[in-house]
Amino acid sequence: TAGKPVILNSAGTVTQVAMVSGTESFTFSKGSATALVAADTSVQLTSCFDISAQRFILVYTNSDASNYMYGNVVEVDSSKVVTSREIDTIISSSNGGETPTIAYDSANEKSMLAYASGPNSNDLRGKVLTATGSGLSVGAEVVINTSNNSASRTKLVYEPTSGKFAVSYKDQSNSSYITAQVGTISGTTSSWGSNTLISAAGTATQIGLGAGNGKVLFLTKDSGNAGDARAGTISGTTFTLGSPVE
């Protein structure tokens, strides 16, 4: 509520960061604008950077192709010239991959994609993506949460110490409570632990999700815009949660 940033400590506690008065200016250079996708992406777009392949992975729904989900591999050279390479179909069913979110796994050198499956009552599903020299290699679809409308306001983050993912969402099948699961990539597929309740306030909204040092920080706000932070330690396939901090 103080409007200041916080730090997630190794003990799982949260420390408010003091603000320093004064300003500092930064400059940057930019290249020319490049059209990455000629189609109407319907603003459902997500991306991550593949450190191993040194390429960006861009995922989007294509409104010009029945809202199928597509993926591009994007390269940027030293002169800031952007090249979007080879379009791959990730899901070839109408609205099969809505509100996508993606995060990169530096240990397995692969990316995890999570999305709502429209033809399956918007349950939460995922696929493992691997950037290749010719495009993308797409793993088999995995159901993360079978509940209808579970994939609402989904956020996904990779936690490097544990080598696992955390996915959080408003589970509309359970009073719109904010819920989270732990995921792991193995080969070209993923496995997910059981649901963990993060906030039992149906009016709560997710505003952020961060991870590091084996822990995950869940940031939420209520209908009055009061913010809460709650830290969780990844323990196997689930979370051990601390108390919420306002």
Side-chain angles (χ1 to χ4, degrees), residues 16 39 41 45 47-48 55 77 83 89 91 109 118 127 148 161 163 165 167 172 177 188 191-192 200-201 223 229 246:
Q16 181 176 287
T41 60
L45 181 149
S47 67
C48 70
R55 298 178 177 96
D77 67 17
T83 304
T89 305
I91 299 177
E109 299 181 346
K127 289 190 177 188
N148 293 347
T161 302
F165 291 91
V167 65
Q172 295 183 29
Y177 293 163
T188 59
S191 58
W192 297 85
S223 57
E246 292 187 354

Side-chain angles (χ1 to χ4, degrees), residues 84-128:
S84 185
R85 301 182 58 187
E86 193 145 333
I87 298 174
D88 294 83
T89 305
I90 297 174
I91 299 177
S92 55
S93 60
S94 182
N95 301 311
E98 298 182 297
T99 59
T101 180
I102 192 170
Y104 177 70
D105 180 338
S106 55
N108 287 292
E109 299 181 346
K110 299 178 186 298
S111 297
M112 185 68 223
L113 174 68
Y115 52 88
S117 178
N120 295 285
S121 301
N122 287 319
D123 62 6
L124 183 60
R125 302 192 175 205
K127 289 190 177 188
V128 175

Side-chain angles (χ1 to χ4, degrees), residues 2-50:
K4 297 180 180 179
V6 295
I7 294 176
L8 174 61
N9 302 310
S10 60
T13 58
V14 176
T15 301
Q16 181 176 287
V17 180
M19 302 298 289
V20 179
S21 61
T23 60
E24 187 172 358
S25 299
F26 297 90
T27 61
F28 65 95
S29 59
K30 60 182 179 181
S32 301
T34 301
L36 301 180
V37 181
D40 182 355
T41 60
S42 188
V43 303
Q44 295 193 31
L45 181 149
T46 186
S47 67
C48 70
F49 184 67
D50 186 316

Side-chain angles (χ1 to χ4, degrees), residues 117-206:
S117 178
N120 295 285
S121 301
N122 287 319
D123 62 6
L124 183 60
R125 302 192 175 205
K127 289 190 177 188
V128 175
L129 307 182
T130 307
T132 67
S134 59
L136 289 173
S137 173
V138 182
E141 186 174 72
V142 171
V143 178
I144 300 173
N145 187 320
T146 59
S147 300
N148 293 347
N149 297 307
S150 58
S152 175
R153 300 181 183 271
T154 304
K155 294 187 181 298
L156 177 70
V157 70
Y158 176 70
E159 199 296 297
T161 302
S162 62
K164 299 178 185 294
F165 291 91
V167 65
S168 59
Y169 48 88
K170 284 179 71 71
D171 190 349
Q172 295 183 29
S173 68
N174 185 28
S175 302
S176 292
Y177 293 163
I178 295 176
T179 305
Q181 291 175 245
V182 175
T184 306
I185 285 180
S186 178
T188 59
T189 189
S190 64
S191 58
W192 297 85
S194 57
N195 303 352
T196 299
L197 185 65
I198 304 301
S199 174
T203 58
T205 300
Q206 293 191 92

